[in-house]
């Protein structure tokens, strides 16, 4: 899937797919189509997407409904919903929060921290992974250290992060950085290890230098894995947010959730959780979108 | 023979199976989940001491309806109150202990629990003057008073007793709410931040305001006594559990009374044991729980504490953190009263008294009995124990004497002249003039007193020197 041969192939299918589409408008150019046929055509073209969206919305509504019923009837069936806040209670704290400029501040600051931590992780993790995948010695030096540091949970880093960095903002960014760094590094390495050696040899036979091999063979071939790493890394960055923002002491959606926990406000805790979930979803979609742009040869 | 063996073994396994099946029918196991805060030193007599000395086992009922019940204790340790409340809400814990603000949040949170409410059934320890909570700054900083912290970054765990103290202190002094830049940090995070000078001050509950100076990087600049608002740690119970097993709750109260007695019988041993069990330095434990300490361990629910809780509710309401809540309706002293009655002790006498146990005995250095315990001092000599001295001057003199004899000294305690709270002598400021040596927590108090007696303010080492040369009374 990641070999250039396949890439060529998928480009071909892409091209032929595109070739399929244009004739349709061309054929109807003589008689302008009515609004109805246009709508119908649009519907046919986007049928798959529409279907997915509709099912997605229905499943989210079903989730909310089940949540609502479980909490209203305080269901106890091994799992206990006695004190879990209902969606309406969470909605009430949401409407309260949305009128509070502080809540927007929480979200903006968290997004900034994630963006900085994640960008740094991508800027360091991807090149490092590529180099480690290419040069054995560097791999042998860096890999053991990375493997030891990788399983350490974000919350355990809190005291060290405070001591390591001069400002708290840096400590927070550092923890989100750590969260996304390792998935990016490991996936990039994995991508590098799957590059077909035949292609590399072929490139060498054709007189390609190291730099060109990197640019033309290794990098594009491992791109799909790099993007998997980026998506996972973004998720983990949000996961480590609460731990990171324990340091902040005043702003951030992770801090908001943590403070709600200190004051035992269940509805606010749920609101914080959902906000993190939604923001995480949004950022993952963003990365997937960028992935589509960078790798147009990939089939959806 | 060979053919008989299987039948025999089958018969045996059938009987053992029958026994296994029969067992649960005769003995029911009840799990009691108890949430403690081991590192919060003033809850130890309601938590870790009972666990380690197995005091609850001693008082648990065994007769009547309890003849066939086997109790299993599940102790869980937390560093702050909210996780205890959370586990109590989930019915993983039935009994929990925490400081005044988390307690109120506990009671309020349970109001919306359809299965059970929570009731305040006893007190672990209290300070009527509000000591225990305090604010510390980095030792090398130039801050000596709250006023010096204008516009600075101050952290405190929000929703804790220390948070209440900070808000009250601002109010008392007429400072606006944004006098400092107040942020929320847990003790672990705040301590590290202070050590790294990332924040200018950290306010916290027991034992951090004493522990951090003792660790050597912080200085206390504000003590809760200045707010004069009582602070306490108490015990809450789920009502569904208490109604089903009232005798167990009474037994728990008896265990607290016994734990308090154990502490007072031998405070030095208790401090050493508590260090072993909780990791908090014995010198810090002793400043809170020793004689004339900054905390009084007393399980009775004093009206003054409930009044303080009512004030705390207002603070939380003003922050928009709480709706209506009446602490008076939340208190249930029936269990503690019953425990006192069954142990043939007088609850009402205990309730009326706010006396702590005090330093007493003979001063072996100045050769006189201890008069006023809150003007006295103590020296903890490593191999000779904790020795009382009649005055600050005698204490410092004795300290120099022990040093000269080459004894190893763990710690020296003196009392704040104005406020009567116990201090680490090496952290105190001494107003020295004539033959008077008066220790103070705050530099400004010491300076004011020094001006009055036309003396000067000295640090610990210089005060010791002056005690040796002329201050001996």
């Amino acid at each position: 899937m990641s070999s250039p041969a396949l890439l060529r192939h998928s480009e071909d299918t892409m091209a032929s797919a595109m070739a399929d589409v244009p004739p349709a408008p061309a054929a109807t150019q003589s008689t302008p189509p009515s609004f109805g046929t246009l709508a119908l055509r649009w519907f046919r073209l986007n049928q798959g997407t529409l279907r997915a969206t509709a099912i997605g919305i229905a499943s989210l509504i079903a989730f909310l409904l089940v949540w609502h019923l479980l909490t209203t009837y305080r269901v106890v069936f091994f799992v206990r919903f006695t004190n879990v806040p209902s969606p309406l209670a969470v909605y009430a704290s949401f409407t309260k929060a949305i009128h509070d400029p502080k809540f927007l501040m929480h979200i903006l600051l968290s997004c900034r921290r994630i963006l900085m931590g994640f960008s740094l992780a991508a800027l360091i993790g991807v090149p490092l992974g590529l180099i480690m995948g290419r040069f054995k010695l560097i791999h042998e030096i860096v890999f053991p250290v990375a493997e030891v540091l990788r399983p350490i949970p974000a919350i355990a880093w809190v005291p060290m992060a405070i001591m390591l960095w001069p400002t708290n903002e840096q400590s927070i960014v550092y923890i989100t950085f750590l969260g996304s760094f390792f998935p990016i590094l490991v996936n990039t390495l994995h991508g590098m290890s799957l590059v077909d050696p035949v292609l590399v040899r072929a490139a060498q036979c054709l007189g390609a230098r190291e730099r060109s091999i990197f640019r033309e063979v290794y990098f594009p071939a491992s791109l799909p894995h790099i993007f998997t790493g980026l998506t996972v890394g973004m998720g983990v960055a949000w996961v480590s947010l609460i731990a990171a923002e324990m340091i902040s002491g005043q702003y951030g959606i992770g801090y908001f959730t943590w403070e709600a926990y200190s004051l035992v406000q269940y509805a606010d805790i749920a609101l914080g959780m959902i906000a993190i979930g939604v923001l995480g979803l949004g950022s993952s979609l963003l990365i997937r979108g960028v992935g589509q742009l960078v790798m147009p040869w990939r089939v959806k | 023979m060979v053919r008989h063996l299987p039948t025999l073994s089958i018969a045996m396994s059938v009987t053992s199976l029958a026994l296994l099946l029969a067992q649960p029918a005769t003995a029911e196991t009840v799990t009691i989940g108890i949430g403690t805060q081991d590192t919060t030193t003033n809850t130890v007599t309601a938590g870790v001491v009972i666990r380690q000395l197995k005091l609850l086992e001693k008082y648990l009922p065994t007769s009547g309806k309890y003849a066939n019940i086997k109790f299993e204790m599940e102790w869980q340790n937390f560093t702050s109150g909210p996780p205890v409340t959370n586990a109590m809400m989930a019915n993983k814990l039935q009994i929990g202990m925490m400081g005044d603000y988390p307690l109120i949040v506990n009671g309020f949170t349970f109001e919306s629990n359809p299965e059970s409410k929570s009731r305040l059934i006893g007190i672990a320890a209290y300070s009527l003057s509000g000591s225990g909570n305090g604010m510390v700054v980095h030792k090398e900083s130039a801050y000596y008073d709250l006023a010096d912290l204008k516009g600075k970054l101050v952290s405190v765990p929000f929703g804790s007793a220390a948070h209440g103290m900070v808000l009250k202190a601002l109010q008392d002094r007429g400072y606006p709410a944004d006098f400092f830049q107040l942020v929320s940090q847990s003790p672990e995070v705040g301590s590290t931040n202070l050590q790294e000078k990332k924040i200018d001050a950290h306010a916290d509950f027991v034992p951090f305001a004493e522990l951090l100076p003792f660790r050597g990087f912080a200085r206390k600049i504000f003590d809760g006594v200045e707010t004069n608002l009582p602070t306490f740690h108490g015990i809450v119970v789920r009502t569904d559990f208490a109604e089903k097993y009232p005798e167990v709750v009474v037994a728990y109260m008896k265990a607290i009374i016994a734990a308090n007695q154990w502490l007072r019988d031998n405070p030095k041993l208790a401090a050493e044991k508590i260090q072993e069990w909780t990791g908090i330095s014995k010198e810090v434990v002793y400043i809170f729980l020793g004689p004339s300490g900054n905390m009084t361990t007393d399980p009775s629910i004093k009206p003054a504490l409930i009044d303080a809780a009512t004030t705390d509710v207002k603070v939380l309401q003003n922050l928009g953190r709480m709706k209506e809540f009446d602490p008076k309706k939340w208190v249930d002293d029936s269990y503690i009263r019953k425990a006192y009655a069954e142990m043939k002790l007088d609850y009402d006498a205990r309730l009326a008294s706010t006396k702590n146990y005090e330093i007493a005995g003979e001063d072996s250095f100045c050769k006189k009995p201890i008069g006023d315990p809150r003007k006295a001092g103590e020296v903890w000599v490593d191999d000779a124990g904790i020795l009382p001295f009649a005055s600050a001057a005698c204490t410092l003199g004795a300290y120099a004497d022990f040093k000269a004899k080459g004894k190893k000294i763990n710690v020296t305690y003196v009392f704040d002249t104005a406020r009567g709270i116990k201090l680490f002598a090496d952290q105190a400021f001494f107003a020295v003039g004539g033959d008077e040596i008066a220790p103070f927590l705050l530099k400004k108090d010491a300076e004011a007193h020094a001006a009055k007696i036309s003396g000067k303010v000295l640090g610990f080492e210089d005060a010791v020197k002056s005690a040796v040369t002329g201050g001996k009374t």
Side-chain angles (χ1 to χ4, degrees):
Chain A
M1 181 187 151
S2 49
S3 72
L6 262 177
L7 298 186
R8 185 78 38 80
H9 176 68
S10 41
E11 267 169 17
D12 287 347
T13 53
M14 194 80 167
S16 62
M18 278 160 76
D20 281 348
V21 185
T28 47
Q29 227 157 23
S30 49
T31 47
S34 68
F35 178 75
T37 48
L38 260 181
L40 194 71
R41 194 173 299 138
W42 179 84
F43 176 76
R44 270 201 203 122
L45 210 64
N46 293 293
Q47 208 171 10
T49 335
L50 279 176
R51 194 183 112 104
T53 318
I55 292 180
I57 290 172
S59 101
L60 279 175
I61 290 174
F63 174 78
L64 283 175
L65 195 70
V66 170
W67 174 16
H68 175 72
L69 292 175
L70 284 174
T71 47
T72 347
Y73 294 102
R74 299 183 193 272
V75 175
V76 177
F77 179 71
F78 191 69
V79 183
R80 297 161 304 164
F81 287 89
T82 327
N83 292 305
V84 174
S86 69
L88 289 175
V90 177
Y91 182 72
S93 46
F94 172 70
T95 46
K96 216 175 94 192
I98 207 80
H99 292 296
D100 185 359
K102 256 179 121 176
F103 188 72
L104 197 70
M105 189 84 164
H106 285 311
I107 288 187
L108 283 178
L109 269 173
S110 288
C111 289
R112 202 183 71 182
R113 285 163 184 161
I114 292 283
L115 186 73
M116 283 169 69
F118 175 79
S119 312
L120 277 174
L123 287 177
I124 298 175
V126 173
L128 185 64
L130 293 174
I131 293 170
M132 277 170 74
R134 188 75 188 92
F135 304 104
K136 219 173 163 198
L137 180 68
I138 295 178
H139 185 277
E140 282 161 353
I141 294 171
V142 180
F143 193 67
V145 181
E147 280 302 282
V148 169
L149 293 180
R150 194 159 67 96
I152 300 173
I155 198 150
W157 271 106
V158 166
M160 294 301 152
I162 295 173
M163 287 189 281
L164 280 171
W165 298 91
T167 72
N168 277 340
E169 205 54 34
Q170 289 163 339
S171 312
I172 296 167
V173 169
Y174 175 65
I175 289 179
T176 54
F177 161 81
L178 280 178
S180 39
F181 177 71
F182 291 110
I184 294 176
L185 180 70
V186 169
N187 276 288
T188 309
L189 266 180
H190 183 62
M192 285 296 280
S193 71
L194 291 183
V195 175
D196 193 344
V198 174
L199 296 174
V200 180
R201 250 178 283 142
Q204 277 166 340
C205 286
L206 294 168
R209 295 241 183 105
E210 190 61 42
R211 201 192 283 179
S212 328
I213 298 177
F214 235 103
R215 199 178 56 229
E216 302 293 336
V217 183
Y218 277 112
F219 186 62
S222 39
L223 253 186
H225 284 279
I226 292 176
F227 266 88
T228 310
L230 292 177
T231 318
V232 176
M234 182 57 102
V236 184
W238 284 101
V239 169
S240 38
L241 192 69
I242 289 199
E245 290 185 343
M246 270 173 74
I247 307 172
S248 106
Q250 49 184 347
Y251 286 117
I253 191 70
Y255 168 74
F256 173 85
T257 314
W258 179 252
E259 195 198 45
Y261 180 35
S262 324
L263 295 159
V264 203
Q265 289 169 327
Y266 292 118
D268 281 350
I269 297 174
L271 176 61
M273 288 165 65
I274 292 171
I276 293 175
V278 169
L279 291 170
L281 173 77
S283 46
S284 295
L285 285 178
L286 206 69
I287 291 180
R288 257 177 236 153
V290 173
Q292 292 296 336
L293 286 178
V294 177
M295 302 177 288
W297 61 82
R298 279 181 86 192
V299 190
K300 263 192 207 172
Chain B
M1 185 66 193
V2 177
R3 205 180 284 170
H4 279 148
L5 249 166
T7 40
L8 186 71
S9 66
I10 287 170
M12 272 174 74
S13 52
V14 166
T15 12
S16 56
L17 191 71
L19 274 173
L20 262 173
L21 286 171
Q23 206 124 37
T26 53
E28 185 195 346
T29 306
V30 173
T31 310
I32 313 173
I34 304 168
T36 66
Q37 288 188 59
D38 291 355
T39 48
T40 310
T41 306
N42 46 8
T43 67
V44 291
T45 54
V48 70
V49 172
I50 296 178
R51 178 175 75 216
Q52 294 291 344
L53 300 179
K54 304 213 179 306
L55 292 173
L56 183 54
E57 285 85 336
K58 194 173 146 192
Y59 292 104
L60 277 177
T62 51
S63 55
K65 76 169 181 180
Y66 294 100
N68 287 327
I69 291 182
K70 196 171 148 274
F71 287 106
E72 216 163 80
M73 258 67 78
E74 202 181 291
W75 299 87
Q76 290 184 28
N77 175 32
F78 299 91
T79 54
S80 65
V84 179
T85 297
N86 203 16
M88 280 180 75
M89 283 287 281
N91 206 8
K92 294 203 171 66
L93 298 175
Q94 285 74 44
I95 298 173
M97 60 210 64
M98 52 197 103
D100 37 25
Y101 274 78
L103 276 173
I104 295 164
V105 170
N106 178 290
F108 175 72
T109 310
F110 263 95
E111 296 277 284
S112 59
N113 188 330
E115 287 173 336
S116 172
K117 302 286 168 261
S118 85
R119 289 287 174 266
L120 182 72
I121 52 166
I123 302 294
Y126 70 87
S127 163
L128 280 186
S129 54
S131 187
N133 302 312
M135 190 188 286
V136 292
V137 295
H138 197 278
K139 203 175 158 188
E140 290 156 18
S141 73
Y143 312 123
Y144 291 92
D145 188 77
L146 279 194
D148 300 338
L149 289 167
K150 186 173 172 36
K152 301 289 180 210
L153 187 60
V154 177
S155 80
V156 60
F158 277 13
S160 73
H163 187 200
M165 176 200 74
V166 171
L167 296 174
K168 179 77 171 21
L170 290 176
Q171 208 176 33
D172 286 353
R173 297 196 175 198
Y175 294 157
D178 57 355
F179 182 76
F180 347 100
Q181 203 189 329
L182 198 62
V183 302
S184 172
Q185 282 173 345
S186 66
E188 306 82 9
V189 172
S191 306
T192 319
N193 266 323
L194 187 73
Q195 194 168 5
E196 293 299 315
K197 299 185 192 168
K198 297 260 193 68
I199 49 174
D200 298 296
H202 178 63
D204 217 321
F205 46 82
V206 174
F208 294 94
E210 307 296 338
L211 186 68
L212 303 185
F214 186 75
R215 292 258 166 92
F217 65 83
R219 169 159 39 80
K220 187 157 80 167
I221 61 155
F222 187 84
D223 190 284
V225 289
E226 291 179 57
T227 63
N228 211 23
L229 180 70
T231 180
F232 61 97
H233 278 69
I235 299 109
V236 278
V237 69
R238 277 179 69 104
T239 48
D240 56 353
F241 178 81
E243 278 154 19
K244 200 168 173 201
Y245 304 109
E247 292 84 357
V248 173
V249 180
V250 172
Y252 194 76
M253 294 290 110
K254 286 180 187 169
I256 295 175
I257 298 169
N260 282 343
Q261 198 51 50
W262 173 79
L263 172 78
R264 292 182 179 203
D265 285 344
N266 193 345
K268 176 173 173 279
L269 174 81
E272 285 163 353
K273 281 285 170 195
I274 291 165
Q275 167 174 294
E276 186 187 319
W277 297 329
T278 68
I280 302 295
S281 316
K282 56 182 188 282
E283 295 84 356
V284 174
V285 173
Y286 192 82
I287 205 171
F288 289 113
L289 303 180
S292 309
N294 291 341
M295 283 287 157
T296 310
T297 56
D298 175 350
S300 69
I301 307 172
K302 309 219 185 291
L305 301 181
I306 303 312
D307 291 344
T310 314
T311 314
D312 300 344
V313 168
K314 287 202 191 87
V315 171
L316 285 172
Q317 282 169 342
N318 288 342
L319 287 174
R321 297 297 186 187
M322 190 180 274
K323 297 187 188 81
E324 283 313 304
F325 181 67
D326 184 2
K328 287 198 178 66
K329 288 186 189 142
W330 162 66
V331 172
D332 184 351
D333 62 359
S334 63
Y335 304 101
I336 183 73
R337 279 181 182 280
K338 196 143 183 258
Y340 264 83
E342 286 176 12
M343 289 175 95
K344 312 244 176 322
L345 297 167
D346 188 348
Y347 180 77
D348 289 306
R350 185 70 257 181
L351 188 64
S353 159
T354 54
K355 278 210 187 84
N356 199 350
Y357 70 127
E358 301 286 343
I359 296 173
E362 191 75 23
D363 180 337
S364 56
F365 183 73
C366 289
K367 311 285 180 214
K368 61 183 182 185
I370 308 294
D372 182 351
R374 300 283 169 155
K375 295 260 178 283
E378 288 177 303
V379 179
W380 190 325
V381 185
D382 199 34
D383 53 358
I386 304 167
L387 306 170
F389 299 96
S391 68
C394 292
T395 310
L396 298 189
Y399 171 86
D401 192 41
F402 285 125
K403 276 270 168 194
K405 285 178 188 157
K407 299 264 190 194
K408 185 173 174 280
I409 292 168
N410 277 346
V411 68
T412 306
Y413 302 107
V414 289
F415 286 86
D416 185 288
T417 312
R419 305 174 201 277
I421 49 172
K422 211 171 194 174
L423 310 172
F424 292 117
D426 57 354
Q427 308 268 343
F429 296 97
F430 295 85
V432 181
D435 54 1
E436 189 188 346
I437 295 181
F440 289 93
L441 166 70
L442 301 177
K443 201 177 180 185
K444 71 165 180 7
D445 288 357
E447 279 162 355
H449 192 78
K452 213 166 70 186
I453 60 171
S454 54
K456 55 185 186 251
V457 176
L458 298 178
F460 177 62
E461 294 300 333
D462 293 329
V464 169
K465 275 181 207 143
S466 98
V468 174
T469 51
K472 220 190 285 176
T473 43

